[in-house]
Amino acid sequence: MKPTHLRLRRACAAAAATGALIAPAAAGSASGASAPERSASASAAPTPTPSPTPPPSSQADTGFTPLTPAVAAQLDAAVRQVMREAQVPGVTVGLWAPGKGSYLRSFGVADKATGAPMTPDLHVRIGSETKTFTVTALLQLVDQGKVGLDDPIGTYVAGVPNGDRITLRELAGMRSGLFNYSLDESFVKKFEDDPEQSFTPQQLLDVAFGHPVLFEPGAEFDYSNTNLILLGLVVEKITGRPLHEVITEDVLGPAGLRSTVFPTSPALPTPYAHGYTDQTASGKVEDATRWNPSWAWAAGEMVSDVQNLRSWARTLATGTLLKPATQAERLKTTPMDIPGASYGLGIFDVQGWIGHNGSIPGYEVLPVYLPSAQATMVIVLNTDSQYKGQEPSTLFGQAVTSIVTPDHVYPGHKPVAPKAG
């Protein structure tokens, strides 16, 4: 998605698909700590568990800095700095790399009303990370010979503009040319007026199909939630089951993700972090915890926690739920509008980090895997409010990777100037 002033439009957006996500964190700050920063604490989170410092050649082997106590202290300071500058209520950061130790720590508060601390066991909405589950379900059907990546979407869903030419591969790769329903002005206003209302997949498609196509199928990359709504419908049609059941039984079960859910209501499993957003009718920050995520459905409705996201990041990047040939198709990426970043089938490669991020009002997540070091990074936070036009999850990602993977800094380049809109 392209950056715009109405940031509901970038909810569920891929990090590498919007310029608003890619600026580095500001270096240094003379300002005092915000209220969340003053309460930052790791008392409820495990302390870093560094491994012994390996010989100097070890980092060169994998490009991952050993997580010594000194490095953990650097990470603490970097996370607190981003928290303070971006006024993030709470965040959990996790790093794991074989032979290099681990780091898992929570900062700030999960509930601004009570002051309850952020902890690693809390559930959060995961936004566009949902796309990775939907596309995995689709690719499992490819493995079973029930669907083909180059099948036209019109074979499964009627009424799609260019439906006889847009393939499932182009939908999963964000190259369909279909308008993104969450960019529609009337849809945004309707959501802001009543964020607890429910939307059906057909209502979302009706919004999208009310706009002209943007380009010929396959001609360009353009991040669109509409693509995933269509793929969710394909999964339902082929399996004869609701999407939430397919993902629960065929993806979450085999992956061993017992704390991850595809909800059918706005309720969150306990325990959970409250989420805060300024994507409101008034423009003021509000508690979005119980907002209805049905508008995101197959593109962004799911819920998880840090440890499940850690497991999923590796499963997703290594393809353990798919045949090797199908995983290879998934990882065939094409360039986006960001240097060092490319997009495959519901997955991105940003400076070597494989995965997907997620953003939905109140929450952001960044679970990614670095194959060269077999390393996993998971960042979850309970706000999506931008700082100087930048996504907070990306600011944390860049601050952390600048320390632990200096050759693979996420996302590792200058910001793209936001366009008016």
Side-chain angles (χ1 to χ4, degrees):
M1 295 169 158
K2 296 177 175 60
T4 62
H5 67 287
L6 279 173
R7 295 190 322 281
L8 172 64
R9 296 170 171 181
R10 58 125 169 100
C12 305
T18 172
L21 288 165
I22 59 176
S29 173
S31 62
S34 65
E37 167 58 16
R38 284 196 298 271
S39 63
S41 170
S43 61
T47 55
T49 55
S51 57
T53 303
S57 62
S58 180
Q59 180 179 340
D61 291 342
T62 65
F64 195 97
T65 302
L67 294 167
T68 63
V71 170
Q74 282 184 275
L75 290 167
D76 289 350
V79 171
R80 287 189 173 112
Q81 178 180 319
V82 175
M83 271 192 82
R84 178 172 60 249
E85 293 173 346
Q87 298 185 22
V88 172
V91 62
T92 296
V93 177
L95 292 162
W96 301 267
K100 303 303 175 75
S102 62
Y103 172 97
L104 178 60
R105 191 166 184 185
S106 293
F107 304 79
V109 297
D111 186 340
K112 295 199 291 186
T114 66
M118 193 74 167
T119 57
D121 62 329
L122 299 178
H123 290 88
V124 296
R125 301 196 191 278
I126 63 172
S128 267
E129 187 69 16
T130 303
K131 292 178 171 66
T132 65
F133 293 96
T134 300
V135 173
T136 297
L138 176 75
L139 295 177
Q140 288 177 322
L141 297 177
V142 172
D143 279 346
Q144 297 165 21
K146 296 179 179 179
V147 68
L149 281 172
D150 296 313
D151 293 349
I153 183 60
T155 302
Y156 306 99
V157 181
V160 181
N162 286 339
D164 59 333
R165 294 186 291 131
I166 296 172
T167 66
L168 305 187
R169 185 190 302 274
E170 288 163 343
L171 292 169
M174 300 296 178
R175 304 183 71 85
S176 70
L178 295 173
F179 182 83
N180 187 347
Y181 65 86
S182 55
L183 292 177
D184 179 85
E185 294 282 356
S186 61
F187 174 81
V188 172
K189 184 178 186 306
K190 184 176 182 181
F191 177 86
E192 288 181 340
D193 288 344
D194 180 12
E196 296 184 7
Q197 67 186 296
S198 181
F199 292 90
T200 67
Q202 189 57 54
Q203 286 176 312
L204 304 176
L205 293 182
D206 289 344
V207 172
F209 299 165
H211 293 262
V213 296
L214 304 179
F215 48 81
E216 286 296 298
E220 301 177 27
F221 174 90
D222 187 74
Y223 193 89
S224 175
N225 291 321
T226 304
N227 297 335
L228 269 292
I229 303 304
L230 287 167
L231 292 181
L233 292 174
V234 171
V235 171
E236 289 195 331
K237 178 160 187 160
I238 296 300
T239 63
R241 293 179 285 156
L243 180 64
H244 68 272
E245 288 185 9
V246 176
I247 289 179
T248 300
E249 296 168 5
D250 300 352
V251 182
L252 301 181
L257 304 182
R258 295 179 177 82
S259 294
T260 304
V261 297
F262 196 125
T264 56
S265 77
L268 280 162
T270 56
Y272 59 83
H274 283 250
Y276 301 92
T277 187
D278 59 4
Q279 296 193 71
T280 59
S282 67
K284 297 179 180 179
V285 174
E286 296 179 9
D287 188 327
T289 307
R290 293 176 177 83
W291 286 11
N292 194 327
S294 62
W295 68 271
W297 194 50
E301 192 169 356
M302 291 178 66
V303 174
S304 191
D305 66 9
V306 169
Q307 289 293 353
N308 268 208
L309 291 174
R310 171 193 176 185
S311 177
W312 179 244
R314 182 182 179 93
T315 295
L316 176 67
T318 58
T320 55
L321 297 185
L322 303 174
K323 293 180 179 178
T326 305
Q327 178 70 0
E329 291 297 309
R330 174 171 223 163
L331 294 178
K332 287 181 180 177
T333 60
T334 56
M336 294 181 286
D337 54 357
I338 295 175
S342 55
Y343 202 86
L345 303 181
I347 198 169
F348 64 51
D349 181 334
V350 178
Q351 301 296 334
W353 289 98
I354 308 296
H356 211 293
N357 74 329
S359 179
I360 196 167
Y363 303 91
E364 289 194 347
V365 300
L366 178 59
V368 286
Y369 182 78
L370 185 65
S372 62
Q374 298 180 47
T376 307
M377 176 174 68
V378 177
I379 298 171
V380 307
L381 55 150
N382 61 345
T383 184
D384 66 315
S385 299
Q386 293 183 346
Y387 172 67
K388 294 185 177 180
Q390 313 306 321
E391 296 289 341
S393 62
T394 301
L395 299 180
F396 284 114
Q398 182 145 0
V400 169
T401 56
S402 293
I403 294 169
V404 298
T405 54
D407 294 331
H408 301 277
V409 177
Y410 177 97
H413 54 85
K414 300 289 185 180
V416 175
K419 299 177 182 179

